[in-house]
């Protein structure tokens, strides 16, 4: 089987995802994606007529984010018309899945040059409702009046699931807030030391002025006292009647009837709502040699894992174990771990269950500090891991994240 090289990785800064308030919120989603695709083309002197495909991730494929962003953004970036494109949705996990599928196409020998990435403008998708913006779906059969249908895989709201998992695992709010503070501190250090600079590309307005050239979401002034003062976000959502007496809390209690809990997640220890895009150039060794491209890394292995959809957020641990087994590696071989901080409990449980060295997990902060542009985050995390492996001289990085429906994609990369 052929190898799949990572030639380059780029991303936009993350802009605050509020209509009219974030620095990117006035732009079209295609504009953000095209910014990354143009950077990949220009930085690598890429002949876009040799691009076999563009595999893109966008979770809320509605309105401006509909219409196959992969293809349309490539045209907007000035790519040759022969460069095809497609767009996929694995909720929060799509940005990893786009890279995995690009690697699979190259490793199979069917394609030689594929660009993978993702875009999410949450300032736009907010208009379609918080449930969709959070990559959630109405639980199957909830409130249908059909007991048989209503009993099929009950699902809840992600934030409510996070609170329930914390109760099941005995993880306190104080412990989650402590992790959130570490995320802010690490992100602030990474920004000040320029650790993101290699992959970061400036977003320009159509008139040529700068829209955003820095991270907009981080709050380096965050303190433990400030986090402790924030009100829990999901208690009201947990007990809101969705119709017919069904609530998100009751959905979870169908599976865990003795579990009751109070909210422990809030704006400070949950992922930030932001806009952003990212892209990676994946090629075969033969293509790289022919076109004078120097590989930065290679895809070692990837895996997909499903888990209990009722708790929704617990698949990253089995996904990590699965991809390690596929790669023939042990956790001790991994120099850098990226686990998306969808909620603090996801990262905290991941660290505890795998008994990881905390200094190797999200050393440059995560989504609690930087934000989580749903369909783009996975691609961003792969680029972050590659940059960090190069900065530290590490060899292997493992990247994974939870996704709605109780899923997690994962992959391992090796620095070249």
């Amino acid at each position: 089987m052929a190898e799949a090289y990572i030639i380059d990785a780029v991303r936009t800064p993350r802009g605050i995802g509020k209509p009219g308030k974030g620095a990117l919120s006035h732009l079209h989603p295609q504009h953000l994606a095209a910014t990354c695709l143009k950077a990949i083309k220009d930085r690598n002197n890429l002949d876009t007529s040799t691009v076999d495909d563009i595999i893109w991730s966008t979770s809320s494929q509605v309105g401006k984010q509909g219409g196959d962003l992969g293809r349309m953004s490539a045209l907007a970036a000035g790519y040759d018309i022969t460069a095809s494109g497609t767009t996929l949705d694995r909720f929060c996990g799509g940005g990893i899945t786009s890279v995995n599928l690009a690697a699979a196409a190259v490793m199979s020998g069917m394609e030689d040059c594929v660009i993978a990435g993702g875009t999410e403008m949450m300032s736009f998708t907010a208009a379609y409702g918080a449930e969709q913006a959070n990559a959630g779906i109405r639980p199957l059969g909830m409130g249908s009046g059909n007991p048989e249908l209503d009993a099929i895989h009950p699902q809840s709201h992600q934030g409510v699931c996070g609170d329930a998992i914390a109760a099941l695992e005995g993880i306190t709010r104080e412990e989650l807030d402590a992790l959130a503070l570490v995320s802010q501190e690490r992100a602030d250090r990474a920004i000040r030391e320029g650790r993101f600079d290699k992959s970061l590309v400036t977003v320009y307005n159509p008139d040529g002025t700068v829209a955003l050239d820095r991270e907009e979401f981080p709050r380096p002034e965050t303190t433990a006292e400030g986090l402790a003062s924030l009100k829990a976000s999901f208690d009201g959502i947990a007990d809101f009647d969705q119709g017919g007496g069904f609530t998100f809390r009751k959905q979870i209690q169908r599976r865990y009837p003795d579990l009751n809990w109070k909210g422990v997640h809030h704006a400070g220890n949950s992922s930030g709502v932001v806009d952003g895009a990212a892209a990676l150039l994946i090629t075969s060794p033969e293509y790289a040699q022919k076109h004078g491209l120097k590989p930065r890394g290679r895809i070692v292995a990837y895996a997909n894992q499903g888990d209990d959809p009722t708790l929704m957020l617990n698949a990253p641990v089995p996904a990590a174990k699965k991809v390690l087994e596929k790669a023939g590696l042990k956790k001790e071989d991994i120099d850098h771990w990226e686990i998306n901080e969808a909620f603090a409990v996801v990262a905290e449980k991941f660290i505890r269950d795998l008994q990881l060295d905390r200094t190797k997990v999200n050393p440059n902060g995560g989504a609690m500090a930087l934000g989580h542009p749903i369909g783009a985050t996975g691609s961003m995390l792969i680029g972050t891991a590659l940059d960090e492996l190069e900065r530290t001289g590490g060899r292997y990085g493992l990247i994974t994240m939870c996704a709605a429906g109780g899923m997690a994609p994962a992959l391992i990369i090796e620095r070249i």
Side-chain angles (χ1 to χ4, degrees):
M1 184 177 292
E3 290 191 327
Y5 282 169
I6 303 175
I7 304 298
D8 202 6
V10 302
R11 68 173 179 88
T12 69
R14 297 169 176 92
I16 292 172
K18 293 184 178 180
K21 295 183 179 180
L24 302 177
S25 63
H26 64 291
L27 297 171
H28 196 286
Q30 287 180 20
H31 187 84
L32 291 194
T35 295
C36 292
L37 290 171
K38 188 175 186 302
I40 285 287
K41 176 184 69 172
D42 293 346
R43 285 165 47 135
N44 299 282
N45 194 27
L46 182 65
D47 177 358
T48 59
S49 69
T50 66
V51 175
D52 292 307
D53 206 2
I54 295 150
I55 304 176
W56 215 249
S57 161
T58 304
S59 185
S60 294
Q61 294 182 35
V62 292
K64 294 179 181 179
Q65 289 199 164
D68 189 357
L69 277 180
R71 170 62 171 176
M72 303 313 295
S73 301
L75 295 176
Y79 275 44
D80 193 275
I81 59 171
T82 59
S84 184
T86 189
T87 303
L88 61 85
D89 174 15
R90 198 194 290 273
F91 301 117
C92 300
I96 292 179
T97 294
S98 66
V99 175
N100 289 350
L101 292 179
V106 170
M107 294 169 78
S108 72
M110 293 294 102
E111 295 181 323
D112 290 296
C113 178
V114 184
I115 299 172
T119 302
E120 203 80 42
M121 291 197 68
M122 298 182 75
S123 58
F124 164 70
T125 59
Y128 287 81
E131 191 172 344
Q132 184 180 52
N134 286 322
I137 55 174
R138 185 174 176 85
L140 178 65
M142 193 173 78
S144 70
N146 182 333
E148 184 175 349
L149 180 60
D150 289 340
I152 298 175
H153 300 305
Q155 299 179 58
S156 186
H157 180 281
Q158 290 94 323
V160 178
C161 289
D163 288 343
I165 292 168
L168 282 167
E169 297 291 328
I171 301 173
T172 67
R173 170 165 170 164
E174 290 73 22
E175 290 168 325
L176 299 177
D177 283 357
L179 188 63
L181 183 59
V182 167
S183 184
Q184 291 286 352
E185 292 170 345
R186 289 179 174 180
D188 181 51
R189 178 187 63 195
I191 291 168
R192 287 187 287 103
E193 294 182 359
R195 296 187 185 182
F196 300 138
D197 291 355
K198 188 169 187 176
S199 295
L200 210 61
V201 295
T202 299
V203 180
Y204 293 93
N205 290 309
D207 65 3
T209 60
V210 173
L212 189 62
D213 60 1
R214 58 178 177 80
E215 298 292 346
E216 191 176 28
F217 188 78
R219 294 151 290 180
E221 71 280 3
T222 299
T223 64
E225 294 76 18
L227 290 170
S229 70
L230 295 175
K231 183 180 179 181
S233 298
F234 303 111
D235 280 338
I237 296 173
D239 295 314
F240 179 75
D241 192 336
Q242 304 287 318
F246 286 87
T247 67
F248 286 128
R249 190 184 301 275
K250 288 181 179 178
Q251 287 292 95
I252 292 176
Q253 288 174 332
R254 283 175 159 189
R255 294 288 304 278
Y256 304 92
D258 298 326
L259 182 66
N260 207 345
W261 68 92
K262 64 178 181 179
V264 291
H265 287 94
H266 49 74
N269 62 20
S270 304
S271 56
V273 176
V274 296
D275 301 329
L280 293 95
L281 176 58
I282 311 294
T283 77
S284 66
E286 294 77 15
Y287 181 97
Q289 183 177 17
K290 179 180 178 180
H291 294 271
L293 299 173
K294 184 179 179 180
R296 297 174 58 192
R298 73 178 184 96
I299 308 295
V300 178
Y302 73 84
N304 296 297
Q305 182 70 47
D307 201 81
D308 181 3
T310 300
L311 293 177
M312 198 176 298
L313 311 177
N314 283 341
V317 170
K321 292 179 179 179
K322 186 176 182 179
V323 77
L324 283 169
E325 183 177 357
K326 284 181 175 291
L329 297 173
K330 299 178 181 179
K331 67 179 184 180
E332 291 78 16
D333 296 318
I334 304 301
D335 301 296
H336 178 93
W337 301 77
E338 286 286 338
I339 169 66
N340 186 41
E341 296 172 350
F343 302 94
V345 75
V346 176
E348 183 64 26
K349 184 179 187 316
F350 188 81
I351 293 168
R352 293 186 184 195
D353 285 1
L354 294 175
Q355 298 180 323
L356 300 179
D357 178 349
R358 289 178 179 268
T359 65
K360 294 183 178 182
V361 182
N362 299 355
N364 295 322
M368 290 186 287
L370 296 162
H372 174 26
I374 305 296
T377 303
S379 297
M380 289 183 169
L381 296 183
I382 297 167
T384 296
L386 182 58
D387 287 346
E388 185 66 8
L389 289 173
E390 290 178 336
R391 187 186 74 84
T392 61
R395 183 176 181 182
Y396 292 115
L398 191 154
I399 304 97
T400 187
M401 60 200 306
C402 61
M407 298 183 290
L411 83 161
I412 293 173
I413 63 172
E414 180 182 15
R415 176 181 63 87
I416 297 178

